Amino acid sequence: MVSRVVSNAVWSPWRELARFQNEVGRMLHEPIRPNASSDGPAFNIYRNDRGSVITAELPGIDASSLEISVSGDVVTIQGKRVAEANPETARVQRRERNAGEFKRTLKLPYRIDAGKTEAVYQLGVLSVTLPSVQDEKPHQIVVKSV
Amino acid sequence: MNSNLNATAPHSTNRCHGHCETRKGHATEERSASKVFVPQVDIVESDDRITLVADLPGVDQETLDISVEKNVLSLRGTVKPNIPEGYQLAYSEFEVGNFERSFTISNDIDRAGIEAVMKDGVLRLTLPKAQHAMLQKIPVKTVS
């Protein structure tokens, strides 16, 4: 299981690392495209002050096999891509796409509002909206004088 | 190689296509949208057809262009940048871009019979073999 800790303090180093990877990829003339494997799918994370949206490219997945669970500040995305069924007489000439189960867990720097979490699967792209819990207002404590 | 369908070298499609030159001051999202990636494919040959399956996440039937010119089959998928409204990219493991790849097909493929189905970001292309290319069994009669 892959677990990545993402907090406010480390946003920028992650971004730097991604940028460096992209640079290396460009130098090698081969675009880096991580894909669904046992390591889990590649994520893009979008943020604003109310929460975040995780997107992942997961083409050819039965939406009912996708399972998204939220607990506190941790979100887990798992699913399965079924391998192509080919007749026995068929000759495989190229197999670049991979299949199998994947699971990825991500810790966010805030408590996720599980009730408002939404997931949409469209054109092979999964988007999970994870709002933060908003109702944590500071408590006013009244000091009684005795 | 005894194949009716050959994939060209991936690096040949990793080049700029018109709008790669981005003007200064444009958002990163717009720049990354003009990137071109090589989609991953499976190619399976059976007696009467070749099936090509390609991963094209973010592409639908409207934004997919398939063409056959002479013996080159080209796939081109355009992906709209899908940035959630009101959010900013904070961490990125993959880039969003268009897809392009071409394949060399032999004369044994029946061009008119090529069929394409797009579902959940996966393209399934069926390339039937022309009648003359199919393995034909000739029954041997016994003469008494």
Side-chain angles (χ1 to χ4, degrees):
Chain A
M1 193 168 89
V2 180
S3 171
R4 282 162 214 244
V5 180
V6 180
S7 75
N8 271 327
V10 293
W11 277 126
S12 150
W14 280 109
R15 204 152 48 206
E16 285 307 312
L17 181 65
R19 201 171 291 155
F20 174 69
Q21 279 185 328
N22 291 336
E23 281 304 315
V24 172
R26 230 169 273 140
M27 274 160 22
L28 297 169
H29 292 277
E30 187 76 15
I32 292 176
R33 282 194 83 82
N35 41 53
S37 65
S38 55
D39 286 345
F43 284 161
N44 275 354
I45 305 173
Y46 299 86
R47 287 210 64 188
N48 67 12
D49 52 4
R50 295 183 310 278
S52 26
V53 176
I54 296 175
T55 62
E57 292 183 335
L58 296 163
I61 284 178
D62 181 5
S64 64
S65 87
L66 283 168
E67 220 173 281
I68 296 150
S69 54
V70 166
S71 170
D73 57 357
V74 173
V75 57
T76 302
I77 297 175
Q78 55 186 316
K80 190 181 174 185
R81 180 150 105 157
V82 183
E84 295 287 318
N86 292 311
E88 270 178 40
T89 52
R91 294 172 293 281
V92 175
Q93 293 185 349
R94 211 166 257 267
R95 178 157 287 164
E96 297 169 355
R97 303 165 68 246
N98 42 35
E101 286 180 31
F102 59 85
K103 182 176 181 178
R104 195 159 167 198
T105 300
L106 196 75
K107 192 175 154 76
L108 294 172
Y110 59 85
R111 266 185 60 214
I112 302 159
D113 192 337
K116 287 182 181 155
T117 295
E118 280 173 22
V120 177
Y121 181 69
Q122 196 184 19
L123 305 178
V125 181
L126 175 71
S127 303
V128 187
T129 306
L130 301 147
S132 61
V133 174
Q134 292 290 320
D135 57 3
E136 283 174 35
K137 289 179 194 136
H139 275 277
Q140 198 79 41
I141 288 132
V142 181
V143 180
K144 287 181 201 162
S145 54
V146 183
Chain B
M1 197 161 124
N2 190 24
S3 154
N4 288 302
L5 186 68
N6 293 320
T8 53
H11 60 78
S12 66
T13 50
N14 179 24
R15 56 189 147 87
C16 282
H17 292 273
H19 37 273
C20 277
E21 288 174 62
T22 46
R23 282 151 290 178
K24 272 181 189 166
H26 269 229
T28 325
E29 290 77 26
E30 280 184 53
R31 235 178 296 153
S32 58
S34 65
K35 287 216 165 188
V36 178
F37 295 101
V38 179
Q40 289 172 324
V41 299
D42 286 351
I43 299 172
V44 175
E45 183 176 357
S46 56
D47 289 340
D48 60 343
R49 80 191 77 165
I50 290 171
T51 309
L52 185 151
V53 183
D55 281 343
L56 301 162
V59 177
D60 62 15
Q61 44 267 63
E62 265 79 59
T63 55
L64 173 67
D65 184 58
I66 306 165
S67 64
V68 181
E69 205 185 328
K70 286 176 184 166
N71 63 341
V72 178
L73 170 84
S74 303
L75 307 180
R76 198 167 293 189
T78 311
V79 178
K80 272 179 257 153
N82 181 22
I83 299 139
E85 218 183 303
Y87 289 85
Q88 282 205 316
L89 185 64
Y91 167 59
S92 171
E93 289 176 343
F94 68 91
E95 283 188 88
V96 176
N98 297 334
F99 293 102
E100 267 190 46
R101 193 159 180 184
S102 25
F103 306 87
T104 308
I105 55 172
S106 81
N107 291 329
D108 294 344
I109 299 296
D110 171 18
R111 264 83 170 147
I114 297 174
E115 274 177 40
V117 179
M118 194 72 206
K119 189 180 181 268
D120 293 337
V122 176
L123 166 72
R124 186 173 302 269
L125 258 184
T126 310
L127 304 114
K129 290 184 189 175
Q131 209 65 40
H132 68 84
M134 276 191 224
L135 180 74
Q136 283 178 9
K137 288 227 167 117
I138 292 128
V140 181
K141 286 181 199 160
T142 46
V143 185
S144 53

